[in-house]
Amino acid sequence: MSIREIDQAYVAGTYKRFPVEIVSGQGSICWDAEGKEYIDLGTGIAVNTFGYADEVWQRAVTAQIGKVQHTSNLYYTEPCALLAQALCQRTGMGKVFFSNSGAEANECAIKVARKYAAEHLGPEYATIITLRNSFHGRTLTTLAATGQDHYHELFQPLTPGFVHVDAEKEEQLAAAFQENKVAGVLVECVQGEGGVVPLSLEYAQTVERIAHEQGALLMVDEVQTGNGRTGTLYAYQQYGLHPDVVSTAKGLAGGLPLGATLLSEEVQHTLGYGDHGSTFGGNPVCCAAALSVLERIDEALLAEVQGKSAYLKEALSKLPGVRQVTGLGLMLGLQTEKPAGEVVEACRQRGLLLLTAKDRVRLLPALNIPMELLEKAVQILAEAT
Ligand SMILES: *Cc1c(COP(=O)(O)O)cnc(C)c1O
């Protein structure tokens, strides 16, 4: 049996995989089992921040694996402490809770909002407002938070206490606050799975104003937008927001599973001993990887991300088959004349790996991708759109 056949026989059938078995990679290039070479603009869905098998990242990971691979949270480890310190120093937040994924980072955010509201507004203040077309994860609670009905249908009953409003409609948000006892609002600055749709600056700031006027928490889901992806360390920073809680994961550890929930100074004491936990959360290998990733996301790299973004936006919006380019930094969506799936398949055949998001083609390249590979990718997209 081929690897594809074994996978299809034994791995639960939840993923519609591309007909590609990736066997190795270097930076933004990877090779499949037949030796075909690809430029990868998907980075495992915004996870491989510095591409495949990056040497600096490998050294950080292997050095920690050779010392301590895991301890549980019953003991202190240096990578966990230093990563929490670095995240707080870079954002002005007060404390960090570590987990293993984006969904778990959001679960923690929701728990914090409910506990904080119970203590400050009253126990009936439990509702979380999120946006329609959002994506917050696959657990039963983060599915409830996700504002897309088709994810909900098969798994009722979901966790109660979630209300969805349309983005950019201030009056819907105000009404949701009138009609519910609200603990917090959870938003993505750029809806990723929803089609790479950025919030307007004005609306994002309105969400913050209304939430804070009502004593509710502003929580920003930076699972996809975070860690340099949009041209600032976190997207909320370029929106001028002051969130109480920030969740992140995907690119944080550059290819290892790590979730982080950042808590502002105001809410940092909400979780006490025993209130929350995770066996693997804050794993020293994942944290050592993240420390190395975070160190490299400096002003120079962020300027590079912005420069590459400007190049891609201009070059791609000139292509006759592209109607619109959306997104921020190296998180871009293309509205194409042809169906997105067809464009992605035509590019794959030509050696370029891309993603879709709703009806858009989605690009999430490594932050250090060389310009010449971006130029090649644009050429392939010119042929395929
Ligand atoms: C991917 C994603 C999640 C879920 O992350 P997992 O690691 O798959 O649990 C949550 N929120 C956003 C915005 C995401 O893009």
Side-chain angles (χ1 to χ4, degrees):
M1 273 166 100
S2 70
I3 292 299
R4 266 169 73 179
E5 286 164 342
I6 296 170
D7 186 294
Q8 284 164 4
Y10 293 106
V11 176
T14 59
Y15 302 109
K16 185 159 178 260
R17 300 196 202 279
F18 291 105
V20 175
E21 180 198 341
I22 297 180
V23 291
S24 69
Q26 186 61 63
S28 289
I29 302 278
C30 66
W31 292 274
D32 73 9
E34 275 106 56
K36 185 174 164 70
E37 182 172 303
Y38 299 92
I39 299 171
D40 180 7
L41 299 194
T43 54
I45 320 184
V47 167
N48 297 336
T49 305
F50 293 106
Y52 293 100
D54 177 84
E55 280 179 17
V56 177
W57 180 87
Q58 275 192 63
R59 274 199 299 278
V61 170
T62 52
Q64 185 58 43
I65 283 182
K67 287 191 271 187
V68 172
Q69 83 277 28
H70 177 77
T71 59
S72 87
N73 281 300
L74 297 173
Y75 306 97
Y76 296 99
T77 66
E78 180 177 294
C80 174
L82 294 186
L83 178 61
Q85 179 187 45
L87 285 167
C88 290
Q89 286 175 346
R90 296 280 300 265
T91 58
M93 301 297 270
K95 286 195 194 299
V96 183
F97 179 86
F98 289 116
S99 53
N100 313 287
S101 67
E104 287 172 282
N106 284 333
E107 289 267 349
C108 176
I110 293 160
K111 281 190 168 179
V112 167
R114 288 201 168 150
K115 183 153 188 267
Y116 183 89
E119 287 166 356
H120 290 80
L121 300 170
E124 67 280 19
Y125 283 79
T127 298
I128 309 290
I129 300 176
T130 66
L131 300 182
R132 293 215 173 83
N133 199 47
S134 59
F135 184 83
H136 297 295
R138 301 284 197 156
T139 63
L140 287 171
T141 298
T142 57
L143 271 184
T146 292
Q148 303 189 51
D149 291 341
H150 68 98
Y151 284 111
H152 297 170
E153 283 151 15
L154 299 174
F155 303 109
Q156 298 292 328
L158 303 178
T159 306
F162 290 85
V163 168
H164 310 295
V165 299
D166 288 333
E168 309 299 335
K169 306 243 164 86
E170 181 179 339
E171 64 289 353
Q172 284 192 21
L173 183 65
F177 268 95
Q178 293 268 303
E179 290 157 17
N180 301 279
K181 306 275 190 211
V182 178
V185 186
L186 175 65
V187 297
E188 299 157 271
C189 289
V190 183
Q191 293 184 331
E193 304 305 310
V196 197
V197 185
L199 296 186
S200 72
L201 222 60
E202 195 189 9
Y203 180 74
Q205 292 179 0
T206 300
V207 172
E208 171 166 312
R209 179 178 51 77
I210 293 179
H212 285 168
E213 277 169 8
Q214 302 289 328
L217 298 189
L218 174 67
M219 301 182 282
V220 181
D221 179 343
E222 296 257 11
V223 172
Q224 192 162 152
T225 52
N227 313 302
R229 174 64 43 201
T230 66
T232 46
L233 181 58
Y234 292 103
Y236 79 79
Q237 294 169 320
Q238 59 188 293
Y239 276 81
L241 299 177
H242 310 84
D244 303 288
V245 180
V246 175
S247 56
T248 191
K250 289 197 167 90
L252 178 59
L256 286 174
L258 182 63
T261 309
L262 281 56
L263 308 173
S264 70
E265 287 189 355
E266 171 64 26
V267 306
Q268 64 178 322
H269 300 296
T270 305
L271 297 176
Y273 286 134
D275 285 345
H276 196 36
S278 165
T279 299
F280 281 113
N283 169 276
V285 177
C286 300
C287 288
L291 257 176
S292 153
V293 167
L294 206 60
E295 260 170 28
R296 294 165 74 186
I297 306 177
D298 56 11
E299 289 309 313
L301 183 86
L302 292 170
E304 233 183 81
V305 169
Q306 290 163 21
K308 288 169 189 170
S309 175
Y311 162 73
L312 279 176
K313 280 184 176 174
E314 158 145 32
L316 294 171
S317 56
K318 279 189 191 144
L319 301 182
V322 174
R323 279 188 213 151
Q324 200 195 359
V325 184
T326 60
L328 293 175
L330 290 177
M331 178 174 179
L332 296 174
L334 308 181
Q335 184 92 62
T336 50
E337 298 287 342
K338 292 182 195 161
E342 264 178 42
V343 172
V344 169
E345 177 53 20
C347 285
R348 190 188 67 74
Q349 287 172 10
R350 290 170 169 80
L352 175 64
L353 297 179
L354 296 165
L355 304 168
T356 57
K358 286 276 180 74
D359 61 344
R360 311 268 168 97
V361 176
R362 179 168 43 156
L363 283 63
L364 296 165
L367 304 188
N368 64 342
I369 187 170
M371 272 307 289
E372 75 208 50
L373 290 184
L374 285 183
E375 286 161 10
K376 270 196 199 166
V378 169
Q379 279 171 18
I380 294 171
L381 270 159
E383 292 165 21
T385 52

